[in-house]
Each structure stands twice: as structure tokens, then as C-alpha cells.
Amino acid sequence: MRFSDYDAGDFYDEMFDGRGPRRFARALAGFVNGLPDGELKRRQRSAERALLNMGITFNVYGDGAGAERIFPFDLIPRIVPAREWQVIERGLKQRIHALNLFIDDVYHGRKIVKDGVVPEEILRTASAYRSACEGLDPPLGIWCHITGTDLVRDRDGQIYVLEDNLRTPSGVSYVLQNRTLIKRTFPQLFESFRIRPVDDYASRLRDLLESLAPPDVETPRVVVLTPGPYNSAYFEHSFLAQQMGVELVEGRDLVASDGSVWMRTTKGFERVDVIYRRIDDDFIDPSVFRADSLLGVPGLFDVYRLGRVALANAPGTGIADDKVIYTYVPAIVKYYLDEDLILPNVPTFRCCDAGHRQHVLQNLHALVVKAADQSGGYGMLVGPHATAAEREEFARRIEASPRSYIAQPTLSLSRVPTIADGALRGRHVDLRPYILSGESVFVLPGGLTRVALRDGSLVVNSSQGGGSKDTWVLADDRDAEIDGVDPPAGMGGQTQC
């Protein structure tokens, strides 16, 4: 496989421009072109075997083929130059800062509503709003401690925020595993680039979680609370617990009693101080939220309210990743920080707005429609790829419940060379960076690049057939130098870009 056969097409390509490899990607292109015939394919197969041996899997709900799948990984990394990452990092910090202020305001005085910035009706009808959280004061005043924000790049090269994931964002375990795989597969290439590390994520996450412990606790006990092995992200739950050196527990392992939360152990009950919960609000405590939940811990919310245990993320956080609320983020940032958005939103139509709704219904063939309270690619219509019957079905849903849907134009997502059909092909990608918010805010350099493996597909979610790539954020933008690899001169003439 050579880049000489690569066609970037009529899209923004993360690795090539019209003259050949972008400057920061020249060494990578030269390295791949310098591999012996069949070597890239051999290393790809080797990486896939490693994935199998490492048990890097995910579950797909409703998939009759089997409970678990190997998470596809592509060897060609995505490179983000240092200067571009600096802008992304500043934009993400700005966004999560404002959203935390927003959530706190929503569950307290609602100044933003009184000042006419966000309508009361929008909050009142949000399925993620939790009245039980009114008046709560989470540790450090932070509601959302772990965020995964989805970024996309359009044809013009502009990076947009596609959506915010503030409840239980998944995928960071694949970031760490992808880095391990790429280091094994291309050690020489990896060492030649100055790439910012991601290996310390688990220790940073543990430090953050421990900082949330009640003030009278000197040595906090942290646990990861999972719904169990049938959850789509169970691999990640167990991986993070193992990496942090803490227990992975299910609801049946915990008991709320005497004003504390206790974990059953072989030595008896031991107190738990911080819970990294990977269970949605609805299921976390059947005595407060869904009474039929078998996943949560009865009485947990009362202990949390007393400040005797910390939960990350705080219950109620999901109000800020409602997709209708997303449309107000530019106004939210302006209201709390008096700043303009550094990373813009994708232009979005609110179906609860009569004018917007009319436009959406008339243009379903050209729009992407999303359910306001869904994630993972579920509850979604990609208009250009949908059948007439599917569009009619979504029109009925929108008219029946306008508040439940938003719509966005179909972006020409950027592409990255990907190994497909025995060659290097352009495939669409997005990027999910992870942000840890505590006493300070940390953005993991890079994040999860998700790739739509099917030709022409714009859906990158793993649950919908996507895979992933390693993401290299450069520490500086100097050119990499690789011993034994021919200089990239003439690369531009070898591509169709």
C-alpha cells in the first residue's frame, strides 16, 4: 500500500492538501511509502491480533450476532499540529467552565432564565433535568468532572463542536490502548515524532476523584460503579478501574446505611468515599429516580446529599448535554464569561421553534436529525442516506414531539487515510477529546479519533460500525526526522490530492 494511489477527493483531508502531505505529516507519508510491499498490511493484521488478545471490546445493544465485538483500529494515525491543538484546548476549557456554571445556576437561582437567555420552558421539558438536584452543592462547585466533547471539521477546515457529552462519556480506554498498540507497531516512527503523552490519564483521573472526597477523609476509597458486563462500555469500566487501582463494583456490591456508603468485601463492609459512576441518573438510586432499577443503590442519593460520598459526574449534569440546550451554548458562554465561543457550534435548528421546524420538515432529505436526549448514534436520521419511508417516519415524530429533536446540516466531515479494501482510502472522522474538571481543568492531548469505516459513511460511532485511530498531538510543529526513510521530496507529484 502506497500513498501514490491515495485520492483525498473533494474533502478536507487531515493529512494531505492539494500539493501533497501537509508539512507535519510528511515524515509519516514518507515512512509508509518506504515500507516493503505487504508490510503495512502485515502490521495491521498484527495489531488486530493484539486487539483480540487484549480483549479490547464493546457491546452493541440489540445485536443478535453476539454480545461483544472487537473495537476496530486503523494503523494510520491522525496528527494534530501543536498550534491547532492550543486553540482546541482553550476552546474546550472555555466551554466546560461555562457549562459547569450553567448547571449550577440551573439547580439554584436560575439567573440565566430570569435574564431571558435560556427559556424556562426548555429547561422544564428537558428529560435530563432532575428536580431532586435542586439546591445541591457538589464538591468544589463542579458538576461535570469528566467530559467528552465531539469535534468535527468541515470542508472549509473549520473545527466545530458537534455535541457535548457530560453524563458518562465513553471511549477514553481506547485512546490509551490505541497508543499502546501504535507504540508496539511503529516504535521507530513514534519515537521520531514529538508527541504529547496520554499515558498519565488514569493517574490524573484518580487524583481528580480523590479530590472530591469528603473533607474529613484522609485516604479516600474510590470505586468505579458499572451497570455490569452487558453494558456497551463494560470493557472501559473494568479497564479504568484496573488502571486506577480501584475496585470495580456493581450496585449489589454497595449498601447505603448509617449516613455512608459501604462496599461488601471479604473482610466485611468498608466505607466508600468517591464513586465514579458509569450508570445513568435514572438507574443510580431506585428510591429517588426509577423505582424499577436493579442497577443502583437504594439510599445512595441521600448519602450524596449529606456530603458523605461524592459522585462523578454529579447527578443532574445531563441537563447540559441536552441537544436543545446545546443550541444555547454560545449564549451561555457569553452570559457567564462575557466571551465569544472559541470553538463554534454546528449551525442547528430547534424543532420546537415553529420557523425552524418548518425548515426542517421541508429539508429532511438534506439534514441530520437527532433526538435531543440520545447519544451513541441512536435516535438519528441522516437525511441524504435515508429512505422516503424513514424520512416520513421522522417527520411524524418531529410533529408529535418537536421539543425532542434538533437538526443540523450534513457536514462534509474531514477524512484521514485509512486502510480499507486492501488500499489506503479516505474515511470520515471526528474527534472526542476528554476533559477533567476539578480544582483545575485538564484536557487530554488528542482524544479518540473515530472513523467511519464504510465508504461514504458519516456515522463514526462504534455502535454504528465505526472504528478508531491513534491521535498524535505534536508537542511542537518542527518536522519529524526518521532515520533510514527517504526524504518526502516529490510526494506531491505522487498523489492525486
Side-chain angles (χ1 to χ4, degrees):
M1 280 179 269
R2 298 285 189 277
F3 282 112
S4 54
D5 298 325
Y6 182 68
D7 181 3
D10 187 25
F11 297 95
Y12 185 98
D13 194 281
E14 299 286 343
M15 188 169 168
F16 288 85
D17 61 19
R19 297 164 295 180
R22 299 181 187 278
R23 178 181 173 186
F24 56 80
R26 288 176 186 168
L28 172 61
F31 178 85
V32 171
N33 280 341
L35 291 173
D37 287 343
E39 180 64 13
L40 190 61
K41 188 181 294 185
R42 187 191 69 77
R43 296 194 191 196
Q44 176 71 31
R45 285 198 297 265
S46 176
E48 290 168 354
R49 284 196 298 272
L51 279 169
L52 188 63
N53 294 333
M54 294 160 73
I56 303 175
T57 61
F58 68 103
N59 296 343
V60 178
Y61 299 128
D63 177 22
E68 288 187 298
R69 291 181 180 177
I70 301 299
F71 193 55
F73 169 68
D74 184 79
L75 279 181
I76 307 298
R78 175 190 192 158
I79 303 176
V80 182
R83 190 172 302 174
E84 181 169 77
W85 181 254
Q86 290 168 5
V87 177
I88 293 173
E89 188 175 40
R90 284 196 296 114
L92 293 173
K93 286 182 176 180
Q94 176 199 54
R95 196 171 182 98
I96 193 57
H97 184 197
L99 287 174
N100 264 312
L101 292 171
F102 169 73
I103 301 168
D104 198 62
D105 190 13
V106 164
Y107 291 114
H108 289 86
R110 291 198 182 183
K111 287 178 58 181
I112 198 166
V113 171
K114 294 171 184 171
D115 289 337
V117 178
V118 176
E120 173 75 26
E121 176 73 5
I122 295 297
L123 295 177
R124 189 181 61 76
T125 55
S127 62
Y129 180 75
R130 299 286 177 264
S131 58
C133 297
E134 293 173 0
L136 276 179
D137 293 307
L140 307 176
I142 302 294
W143 291 74
C144 184
H145 310 95
I146 302 103
T147 310
T149 299
D150 292 344
L151 306 178
V152 293
R153 193 199 299 273
D154 202 2
R155 189 190 302 274
D156 61 359
Q158 173 66 52
I159 291 177
Y160 294 92
V161 174
L162 183 65
E163 60 185 42
D164 303 291
N165 298 281
L166 286 82
R167 283 175 271 195
T168 53
S170 295
V172 73
S173 59
Y174 303 120
V175 176
L176 306 181
Q177 296 284 29
N178 287 352
R179 180 58 53 86
T180 299
L181 272 176
I182 208 80
K183 283 182 175 178
R184 288 183 187 175
T185 308
F186 291 131
Q188 180 192 16
L189 176 66
F190 187 86
E191 291 299 324
S192 68
F193 281 80
R194 289 165 288 277
I195 300 167
R196 293 183 60 183
V198 298
D199 314 75
D200 61 347
Y201 177 83
S203 62
R204 287 180 178 272
L205 176 61
R206 177 160 182 164
D207 288 346
L208 165 66
L209 294 172
E210 289 183 342
S211 74
L212 307 177
D216 62 328
V217 177
E218 291 188 3
T219 308
R221 177 186 288 277
V222 177
V223 299
V224 176
L225 176 59
T226 176
Y230 293 105
N231 184 267
S232 64
Y234 182 72
F235 164 78
E236 174 153 304
H237 304 164
S238 57
F239 177 81
L240 289 177
Q242 186 269 333
Q243 291 291 303
M244 288 193 289
V246 304
E247 286 86 359
L248 177 69
V249 300
E250 298 182 28
R252 59 190 175 183
D253 299 318
L254 301 178
V255 175
S257 175
D258 299 328
S260 295
V261 174
W262 307 89
M263 178 177 65
R264 292 184 174 90
T265 76
T266 55
K267 301 174 183 175
F269 287 106
E270 296 185 6
R271 179 175 157 172
V272 171
D273 307 297
V274 183
I275 299 174
Y276 180 24
R277 54 94 176 203
R278 300 297 296 259
I279 295 179
D280 289 342
D281 288 353
D282 279 343
F283 302 97
I284 199 167
D285 182 345
S287 62
V288 177
F289 302 110
R290 279 185 56 159
D292 61 344
S293 171
L294 300 177
L295 302 175
V297 184
L300 171 60
F301 193 78
D302 283 343
V303 179
Y304 173 66
R305 193 156 31 202
L306 291 171
R308 301 293 295 159
V309 70
L311 294 172
N313 292 330
T317 300
I319 185 65
D321 70 10
D322 180 292
K323 291 181 175 58
V324 177
I325 298 292
Y326 158 89
T327 68
Y328 290 93
V329 169
I332 288 171
V333 169
K334 189 69 176 177
Y335 180 76
Y336 292 110
L337 306 181
D338 194 24
E339 298 173 3
D340 295 324
L341 268 184
I342 296 171
L343 297 173
N345 278 11
V346 175
T348 304
F349 301 99
R350 292 188 287 265
C351 294
C352 55
D353 179 288
H356 288 200
R357 182 167 65 252
Q358 183 180 10
H359 176 83
V360 171
L361 293 173
Q362 291 174 347
N363 295 278
L364 279 176
H365 62 283
L367 297 171
V368 176
V369 180
K370 298 178 181 177
D373 60 352
Q374 293 283 318
S375 61
Y378 295 99
M380 183 175 170
L381 175 83
V382 181
H385 297 168
T387 64
E390 289 169 336
R391 290 196 290 271
E392 289 172 7
E393 170 59 23
F394 262 75
R396 283 193 290 272
R397 293 185 193 180
I398 291 169
E399 288 173 329
S401 181
R403 168 63 177 82
S404 300
Y405 294 94
I406 57 100
Q408 297 171 327
T410 308
L411 301 181
S412 296
L413 300 188
S414 64
R415 303 199 312 185
V416 179
T418 300
I419 300 171
D421 304 325
L424 292 166
R425 308 291 189 199
R427 291 291 186 265
H428 298 291
V429 291
D430 76 352
L431 177 63
R432 175 178 289 184
Y434 296 87
I435 306 112
L436 300 180
S437 305
E439 293 173 341
S440 61
V441 179
F442 168 73
V443 182
L444 184 69
L448 183 65
T449 289
R450 300 183 299 180
V451 54
L453 295 174
R454 287 193 287 267
D455 186 22
S457 174
L458 296 172
V459 182
V460 299
N461 305 79
S462 57
S463 56
Q464 310 293 320
S468 71
K469 291 171 167 287
D470 195 19
T471 309
W472 294 0
V473 172
L474 303 183
D476 59 61
D477 289 341
R478 287 178 291 166
D479 291 344
E481 296 178 359
I482 306 175
D483 294 336
V485 174
D486 291 335
M491 280 296 303
Q494 297 175 350
T495 71
Q496 300 175 34
C497 306

